[in-house]
Amino acid sequence: MSRRDRDAEGRARNARPRDGLGRPLPYGSDGVERQPEGIARTPAQTLAEAQQLLDDGKPFHAHEVFEDAWKTTDGPGRELWRGLAQLAVGLTHAARGNNVGAVSLLERGAANIEPFRREAPHGVDVTGLQEWARTLAEDAKQHVRVSPSVPRLTR
């Protein structure tokens, strides 16, 4: 039986290196540095860091940045970060060629940011992101190998 990788607190963590799309690589391979977890950022810092990761072709890593914001936000704004994390994971699935996963997460993420459409916080382009996500989801539904474009998070 193999031993599981554990962090300093004893929680299970997979220490295998990952590629830019978050796929595990064999132990000992050169991978992409992982995003540190549990980082407190302002909304502006979250959006800027996530945008840079998306621009660099690392949507899996961008989702981790959004996940930090989601986990540390209380109240109704929490769903915005959850929806953005889901869009980043949907983009990850699309880039990996997993159209079923892409459709599911893109549609879920677009729906979860809907309540912010009229009064978008932090300059987030909710309408533009929803249009982008729904277009990408429709392409994926047609079983087309999509070459996902990188969305702009803010107006």
Side-chain angles (χ1 to χ4, degrees):
M1 186 150 157
S2 65
R3 294 182 52 210
R4 295 181 73 184
D5 299 321
R6 303 269 175 191
D7 66 13
E9 286 80 40
R11 290 185 302 258
R13 296 282 187 231
N14 189 331
R16 284 177 65 182
R18 304 267 175 168
D19 70 7
L21 294 175
R23 293 176 290 222
L25 298 169
Y27 284 103
S29 297
D30 289 332
V32 173
E33 188 173 338
R34 297 179 119 170
Q35 284 302 116
E37 293 181 37
I39 304 296
R41 301 172 185 86
T42 66
Q45 289 169 327
T46 296
L47 291 165
E49 188 171 339
Q51 185 68 65
Q52 185 60 57
L53 290 163
L54 291 170
D55 292 344
D56 291 345
K58 299 176 183 174
F60 180 80
H61 296 78
H63 119 271
E64 291 178 330
V65 171
F66 288 133
E67 197 170 75
D68 281 342
W70 168 33
K71 289 178 178 179
T72 59
T73 301
D74 292 324
R78 186 166 198 237
E79 289 303 302
L80 173 71
W81 302 116
R82 184 175 109 167
L84 292 173
Q86 290 167 326
L87 293 177
V89 173
L91 179 57
T92 301
H93 283 297
R96 290 177 177 177
N98 176 1
N99 287 355
V100 173
V103 169
S104 175
L105 271 298
L106 291 166
E107 288 179 344
R108 196 175 322 151
N112 281 332
I113 64 173
E114 177 66 32
F116 304 96
R117 192 175 175 112
R118 291 190 72 205
E119 294 182 35
H122 317 297
V124 173
D125 184 6
V126 172
T127 301
L129 286 169
Q130 287 180 309
E131 290 172 5
W132 165 84
R134 290 179 177 140
T135 298
L136 187 56
E138 281 305 313
D139 288 346
K141 283 180 186 176
Q142 302 303 317
H143 303 289
V144 174
R145 170 78 179 178
V146 295
S147 295
S149 60
V150 176
R152 299 303 316 158
L153 299 172
T154 57
R155 287 178 244 125

